[in-house]
Amino acid sequence: MTPRDPGLQPERTALAWHRTALGAAVLTVLLVRHGAVVRAPLELAAGGFTFLTALFAALTSRTVRSGIAPRRQLLLVTATLVAAGLLTTCQLVIR
């Protein structure tokens, strides 16, 4: 059995946060572009929240590498993503 490398877990976690930030950034572009084309203000607001999600996820990926537990950042990412989902759902119901 090989010895466990304590540096691998923070590395994997940081990479997962990078993927989350990238996904949120792509979603931001899609929401803002579509919201601007069809003039949907709630989609534009959802794009703003997903931008915050991408920003918080990118900051969290840096924090994880230093070994600090990102509880506050996790709550911020979750709250902004839930807000974006609610705004998008409201926009779909209004149409």
Side-chain angles (χ1 to χ4, degrees), residues 3 9 22 29 45 58 62 69 93:
Q9 181 61 43
L22 180 63
V29 170
R62 290 183 179 199
V93 170

Side-chain angles (χ1 to χ4, degrees), residues 13 17 19 25-26 33-34 41 43 45 48 54 56 61 67 76 83 87 89:
T13 304
W17 280 109
R19 288 191 302 271
V26 169
R33 183 170 185 248
H34 188 263
E43 280 188 43
F56 292 145
S61 71
L76 286 171
L87 286 170
T89 303

Side-chain angles (χ1 to χ4, degrees), residues 30-84:
L30 294 174
L31 283 170
V32 169
R33 183 170 185 248
H34 188 263
V37 169
V38 298
R39 296 182 182 167
L42 291 178
E43 280 188 43
L44 293 172
F49 277 109
T50 55
F51 172 75
L52 290 175
T53 301
L55 180 67
F56 292 145
L59 293 174
T60 301
S61 71
R62 290 183 179 199
T63 307
V64 167
R65 287 187 186 206
S66 66
I68 300 170
R71 291 189 190 276
R72 184 181 306 163
Q73 290 95 334
L74 180 61
L75 290 174
L76 286 171
V77 169
T78 303
T80 55
L81 201 53
V82 167

